[in-house]
Amino acid sequence: MLQNVVVKSPIQLKDHDPAEDFGLKKEKTRQATRRLLERIGGLQAKLYANTRRSVLVVLQGMDASGKDGATKSLLEFVNPAGVEVTDFKAPSSEELAHDFLWRVHHAVPRYGRIGVFNRSHYEDVLVVRVMKLATKEVWAPRFEQINRFELNLHESGYLLLKFYLHISSDEQAERLRARIQDPAKNWKFEGADLRMRERWNDFMKAYEDAINLTSPKHARWHIIPADKKWVRDHLIAKYVCAAMEEMELSWPKPKEDLSKYQVK
Ligand code: AMP
Ligand code: MG
């Protein structure tokens, strides 16, 4: 049986193969992805014109799982004016002086925009849990706090699409080695990446809990097999395009009767 991408009931990550390609052919799939991305560009133009709804794409995954590459691919044909991309790094002292959702809510895109979160509020139940940056009393209630926050966004007109980029430990090792060896990639490497890598199984458990506890109908997780970049990009484009089409966006009606105007 093919693994499900959309999480509708509790999952175990060991049942999901990071190298899965669903029998897709690489070249044909790349062409199909391009067509999907062009459609997303057209849908975004309507989203931008309407300014009543917004799309929020959340990307999570281990280091080198392809969050940057996925962002670049997804936005290839969208108008940059209608996009807000936010990278979430370790919180500043100002951010730490607030509740964990403060900086996140601040980064939520304006209506009419597509927002991409490269990492997100989920770090506060992932790295914070695994690296023991807070006690369980602090992080455990966050799953429900996140659910309430995302329900609020949903009810306020946000379409939430959450993608976990699932890579294998072997593929991560390859990509981290490349970051050490390739001068064009050195800047992406941090010693901390290896300390996190040592905690691989703990991270998988934390991801599993986060995915299982925060995947209601209006804010589903998608488990994206991410060892193959062309599969990753195709699946994300497919789910974003389908969800935006379901929004039934149309061009806004003129606010007045335009037939009375003549441009001379
Ligand atoms: P990168 O995505 O490679 O630029 O790295 C960003 C780093 O910031 C990662 O190691 C994240 O785990 C870390 N980070 C992001 N959000 C948080 C957070 N809320 N608390 C602690 N570390 C975080
Ligand atoms: Mg990094």
Side-chain angles (χ1 to χ4, degrees):
M1 199 191 80
L2 284 178
Q3 60 201 28
N4 289 326
V5 170
V6 186
V7 177
K8 295 184 179 167
S9 52
I11 56 94
Q12 290 199 304
L13 286 175
K14 68 171 175 49
D15 299 334
H16 290 254
D17 177 5
E20 177 67 79
D21 62 15
F22 303 98
L24 295 167
K25 298 277 167 288
K26 189 169 174 179
E27 269 324 304
K28 268 193 141 169
T29 301
R30 281 212 169 120
Q31 288 163 18
T33 305
R34 190 191 155 99
R35 288 193 294 276
L36 288 166
L37 294 172
E38 284 171 349
R39 259 157 70 195
I40 292 171
L43 290 160
Q44 187 228 15
K46 286 186 179 151
L47 185 73
Y48 193 70
N50 273 281
T51 69
R52 310 231 328 229
R53 305 280 318 270
S54 177
V55 176
L56 177 57
V57 174
V58 173
L59 299 176
Q60 280 291 160
M62 297 294 284
D63 276 306
S65 58
K67 299 180 292 297
D68 293 341
T71 304
K72 187 168 173 230
S73 166
L74 177 65
L75 302 177
E76 189 172 352
F77 294 103
V78 299
N79 177 353
V83 171
E84 295 180 25
V85 180
T86 308
D87 291 347
F88 286 93
K89 308 282 183 189
S92 67
S93 53
E94 176 74 0
E95 288 167 345
L96 281 173
H98 295 82
D99 69 280
F100 79 104
L101 290 170
W102 180 74
R103 68 172 182 163
V104 181
H105 208 159
H106 191 72
V108 163
R110 290 164 182 78
Y111 288 123
R113 312 273 173 104
I114 298 179
V116 178
F117 281 1
N118 184 331
R119 302 189 189 268
S120 66
H121 40 305
Y122 285 95
E123 292 293 323
D124 293 280
V125 290
L126 294 165
V127 70
V128 166
R129 171 181 178 177
V130 174
M131 303 311 276
K132 299 193 167 51
L133 305 178
T135 60
K136 185 168 184 184
E137 286 69 42
V138 172
W139 60 256
R142 286 181 173 167
F143 298 111
E144 273 318 303
Q145 291 162 2
I146 288 173
N147 282 332
R148 289 197 295 267
F149 171 64
E150 292 183 354
L151 179 62
N152 173 32
L153 292 180
H154 164 71
E155 290 178 345
S156 307
Y158 288 84
L159 172 70
L160 280 135
L161 290 156
K162 305 187 294 197
F163 298 99
Y164 163 60
L165 308 189
H166 187 40
I167 59 163
S168 61
S169 168
D170 286 351
E171 179 64 23
Q172 191 205 38
E174 280 290 312
R175 294 185 189 180
L176 290 180
R177 265 180 226 121
R179 289 181 178 189
I180 293 174
Q181 286 157 10
D182 179 351
K185 293 182 176 165
N186 288 167
W187 63 275
K188 287 193 194 180
F189 185 81
E190 287 178 280
D193 298 350
L194 297 182
R195 288 196 291 283
M196 311 261 200
R197 178 172 164 73
E198 284 167 16
R199 309 294 301 275
W200 187 271
N201 292 338
D202 296 332
F203 268 104
M204 290 304 108
K205 167 83 177 107
Y207 267 106
E208 225 164 65
D209 285 350
I211 290 168
N212 287 332
L213 292 170
T214 64
S215 199
K217 193 164 178 288
H218 58 266
R220 294 266 194 235
W221 277 102
H222 300 70
I223 301 176
I224 302 295
D227 276 8
K228 295 176 182 149
K229 295 174 183 175
W230 58 274
V231 174
R232 171 198 80 197
D233 292 344
H234 181 71
L235 291 175
I236 294 175
K238 183 176 132 177
Y239 286 101
V240 171
C241 189
M244 287 184 75
E245 262 164 8
E246 270 179 31
M247 291 170 97
E248 297 185 341
L249 298 162
S250 53
W251 296 112
K253 298 258 177 305
K255 293 188 192 73
E256 51 182 326
D257 178 9
L258 298 186
S259 65
K260 66 185 182 205
Y261 292 107
Q262 264 195 325
V263 182
K264 296 204 176 100

